[in-house]
Amino acid sequence: MYSSVITLANSIIGVSILAMPYCYKQCGIILATLMVILSGTIVKLACHLLIKSAIMARRRNIENLAFHTHGPIGKLLVELGIIGYLIGTSIAFFVVMGDLGPPLIASLAGMEPSYNLRLIILTGLGLFVALPLSLLRNIESLQIICASSIMFYLTVVFRVVLEAAPALTSSQWLEGVA
């Protein structure tokens, strides 16, 4: 159970670290905060209803719950939704790595970023990172990696807060708020 919570937290925190600043920039502080609160409330309610229905139906996973409540079509739709989510996650991973990897590798190696470098990085990540991870039978073995990445996220947030502290305390940032 603990490893599932760590893995879920890792996936949520990883995406939100990238998405939240952009959302706040586009929506503004008040609307973005209201949307985060509303989204959190809806997610909490949906999880509560799923857990309550799973307990009442005595089903241990969402696929069996969908099969119990909606038959084979419900189970198929849940499985297609999970597949779509996983494909979307994979695409987002490769887009981010394709955008951030070549400049980073090029600056470390002292060369110019190019399309060929991007192709090599994405192929290497696909063959030597994504493929072995997708072939794991027991995802519990990734618990240490997920916990370490959460610690990395906390380090990044701590550093951003430390670097932003002088600007936040001077109140000059209020002039740029829309």
Side-chain angles (χ1 to χ4, degrees):
M1 172 85 174
Y2 175 72
S3 64
S4 300
V5 171
I6 292 293
T7 304
L8 181 63
N10 182 28
S11 65
I12 292 169
I13 292 171
V15 170
S16 65
I17 270 187
L18 295 174
M20 291 302 251
Y22 179 75
C23 292
Y24 271 84
K25 180 180 180 270
Q26 293 300 109
C27 296
I29 293 175
I30 295 171
L31 180 60
T33 304
L34 288 175
M35 293 302 292
V36 167
I37 292 169
L38 180 67
S39 298
T41 304
I42 291 171
V43 166
K44 182 180 178 188
L45 177 65
C47 289
H48 173 75
L49 292 174
L50 278 172
I51 290 171
K52 189 173 182 177
S53 61
I55 290 170
M56 289 175 61
R58 292 189 171 96
R59 298 295 184 259
R60 294 187 56 87
N61 61 35
I62 190 136
E63 294 94 343
N64 289 339
L65 179 62
F67 184 76
H68 178 73
T69 56
H70 300 292
I73 298 295
K75 183 177 181 184
L76 176 69
L77 289 175
V78 166
E79 288 173 346
L80 289 175
I82 291 170
I83 290 169
Y85 171 74
L86 293 174
I87 289 172
T89 302
S90 178
I91 290 170
F93 169 75
F94 282 108
V95 167
V96 169
M97 289 298 115
D99 289 344
L100 299 178
L104 180 66
I105 299 296
S107 68
L108 290 174
M111 54 193 274
E112 289 293 318
S114 67
Y115 179 76
N116 288 337
L117 181 60
R118 179 184 174 109
L119 185 64
I120 291 168
I121 290 171
L122 291 179
T123 303
L125 284 172
L127 289 176
F128 301 114
V129 176
L131 180 63
L133 287 176
S134 67
L135 295 175
L136 281 176
R137 283 188 180 267
N138 185 7
I139 204 130
E140 303 272 332
S141 60
L142 296 177
Q143 179 181 359
I144 293 173
I145 294 173
C146 291
S148 336
S149 63
I150 289 175
M151 293 308 295
F152 172 74
Y153 298 146
L154 290 174
T155 305
V156 168
V157 168
F158 185 68
R159 180 171 175 173
V160 167
V161 168
L162 281 179
E163 288 184 11
L168 287 174
T169 56
S170 71
S171 300
Q172 292 176 350
W173 61 275
L174 288 171
E175 298 168 3
V177 176

